[in-house]
Amino acid sequence: MHVVIVDPSRVVQQKLAVALEETGCYVDCFSESDLALQHVQHTRSVDVVLTSLELEPIPGLELCWSLRTVVGEKRPLHIIVMSSNSSERALAEALDCGADDFTLKPVRREEITARLRAANRIITMQRQLIALAETDELTGVMNRRAFLSLMEEKRRELAPGDNLTVCLLDIDRFKKINDTYGHDIGDMVITKVAELAGEEAPIVARLGGEEYALAFPVLDCTEATRWCEVIREAIAAYPFACKDATFNVTCSIGISAWHTDEPLGAALKRADIALMEAKQSGRDQIRIEARAETLPA
C-alpha cells in the first residue's frame, strides 16, 4: 500500500513512516500541503493520505476537499485525518470535507495499522466496482461508457494539432455464425476478435453485440489504417474450432479522424458511415470516412 503522510512535524512524519514501512507500506512524507497535493495528483499509485489538519499553505480541511477534486470518481483514495481535537464538530467537518476516517493525535501504532487494513479492504472493493462498471463482462475490454470517458481524457492530453483516429470494427455475418455454430461459439468469436484487435490497437472497447471501437492516439487516418489492416488480416486468418469443424470469420472497419473542435459522436458517426460502406461493398475491408478509400482485401 502506498501512503502519503502530511504533517508539519518532521518527528511525527518519521515516527509514522517507520511504523508503516515495517508493515510493508511504501511511504512518502510532506510538510507542505500544496506539495503533497501535487504529488498525489500525479502519482496514481497513492492509496492512502494520512493528513494533519494544522497545515500550510493549504489548511487540512481544504486539502481533503482538494484531494477529492483532483483524483475524481474513478480513482480510489482513502483519506485519514489526524487531529488532537476530539470534538464531534471536528470529526463532522473532516468527513464533510472528504475524509474517510479520523484518528486522534498522538497516533497509536496499533490503531493506525488497523485503520490501514480497513482502508485496504475498502480500496480493493472500490477498484473491483470500478472494473465491473467499466469492463465488458464477456471480453474483458472496455465497455462503451469507459471508452467514451477515456477518449475525452486522451483528447485533453493531446497537444494542439495532434492526431487522434477512431475506428469501428464489426464482425461480418455474425448472425450466421450464431445460427450455424451456436451462441457459445459466437461468444468465443467475440472474445477472440477483441483479443486480436487489442494486440495492435492501443485502445479497444466493445460497444455491444459484435461491434467494437478502436482508437489510435497521435496517429492520423492513414497510419491507423495500416494497423487496422494488420488486425483485419489477423482476424481473417485465425482458425476457429467447433467440434470437428474449423471456420474463419472476417470483419469490416470504418475509420475517421477525430477533430479537437467537435464532439466524439461526430467522429464515430463518420466512422459508422465508412463501416456501412465497407459492408455494402462486400465486407472484409476497410473504409476511411468520406474519402471512401478502400484497402484491398
Side-chain angles (χ1 to χ4, degrees):
M1 182 178 292
H2 189 169
V3 181
V4 166
I5 298 172
V6 194
D7 193 277
S9 169
R10 301 281 185 182
V11 174
V12 171
Q13 291 176 24
Q14 184 177 11
K15 182 179 179 180
L16 286 172
V18 169
L20 298 184
E21 286 170 350
E22 288 179 354
T23 67
C25 292
Y26 179 79
V27 181
D28 292 318
C29 296
F30 293 89
S31 299
E32 295 79 19
S33 50
D34 56 340
L35 297 180
L37 178 63
Q38 293 174 20
H39 180 71
V40 174
Q41 181 177 7
H42 298 294
T43 311
R44 298 188 64 85
S45 61
V46 175
D47 302 299
V48 176
V49 174
L50 183 59
T51 180
S52 172
L53 292 180
E54 298 77 24
L55 297 172
E56 291 183 356
I58 304 174
L61 292 177
E62 185 179 339
L63 176 63
C64 293
W65 184 265
S66 299
L67 286 167
R68 286 285 168 232
T69 301
V70 300
V71 301
E73 298 178 354
K74 295 184 179 180
R75 179 181 161 190
L77 180 70
H78 199 83
I79 303 174
I80 303 176
V81 164
M82 305 178 291
S83 177
S84 55
N85 186 348
S86 61
S87 69
E88 291 184 0
R89 180 176 179 180
L91 172 61
E93 287 180 340
L95 296 177
D96 286 342
C97 288
D100 298 289
D101 203 353
F102 187 96
T103 186
L104 288 175
K105 286 184 173 183
V107 178
R108 293 177 296 176
R109 177 183 182 133
E110 294 78 7
E111 179 183 346
I112 195 60
T113 53
R115 291 182 184 277
L116 287 178
R117 288 195 296 270
N120 189 45
R121 292 193 295 269
I122 293 170
I123 290 169
T124 299
M125 288 188 291
Q126 288 175 331
R127 288 190 177 129
Q128 291 172 345
L129 290 173
I130 291 171
L132 287 172
E134 297 184 345
T135 304
D136 176 62
E137 184 177 2
L138 177 60
T139 64
V141 300
M142 287 184 294
N143 58 22
R144 176 188 291 271
R145 176 183 177 184
F147 174 75
L148 296 177
S149 177
L150 178 62
M151 291 301 291
E152 289 295 342
E153 291 180 16
K154 291 297 180 183
R155 183 163 68 167
R156 288 194 294 269
E157 293 173 0
L158 294 176
D162 282 350
N163 297 300
L164 201 163
T165 301
V166 295
C167 316
L168 293 180
L169 181 155
D170 190 85
I171 301 172
D172 295 330
R173 298 185 175 90
F174 184 73
K175 184 178 183 302
K176 183 178 180 180
I177 296 171
N178 273 338
D179 292 343
T180 303
Y181 302 104
H183 289 276
D184 288 347
I185 300 300
D187 287 349
M188 179 185 71
V189 171
I190 287 175
T191 301
K192 190 62 184 182
V193 167
E195 179 185 332
L196 293 171
E199 291 177 358
E200 308 298 339
I203 298 174
V204 178
R206 183 184 177 209
L207 300 185
E210 66 273 20
E211 186 175 52
Y212 310 79
L214 317 179
F216 296 86
V218 184
L219 301 187
D220 61 23
C221 285
T222 301
E223 294 166 328
T225 298
R226 297 192 187 103
W227 289 107
C228 285
E229 179 62 10
V230 174
I231 293 170
R232 187 196 66 76
E233 291 177 352
I235 292 171
Y238 188 83
F240 288 95
C242 176
K243 296 182 180 179
D244 297 330
T246 301
F247 65 97
N248 297 90
V249 303
T250 62
C251 69
S252 301
I253 303 175
I255 298 177
S256 174
W258 184 20
H259 307 296
T260 57
D261 59 348
E262 66 178 358
L264 176 60
L268 290 176
K269 183 175 182 179
R270 291 196 302 273
D272 188 53
I273 293 172
L275 174 62
M276 291 302 103
E277 290 176 353
K279 292 279 190 182
Q280 294 166 4
S281 299
R283 299 181 175 85
D284 191 22
Q285 58 186 270
I286 299 171
R287 286 290 177 105
I288 304 177
E289 49 179 341
R291 290 157 53 191
E293 295 181 3
T294 305
L295 280 169

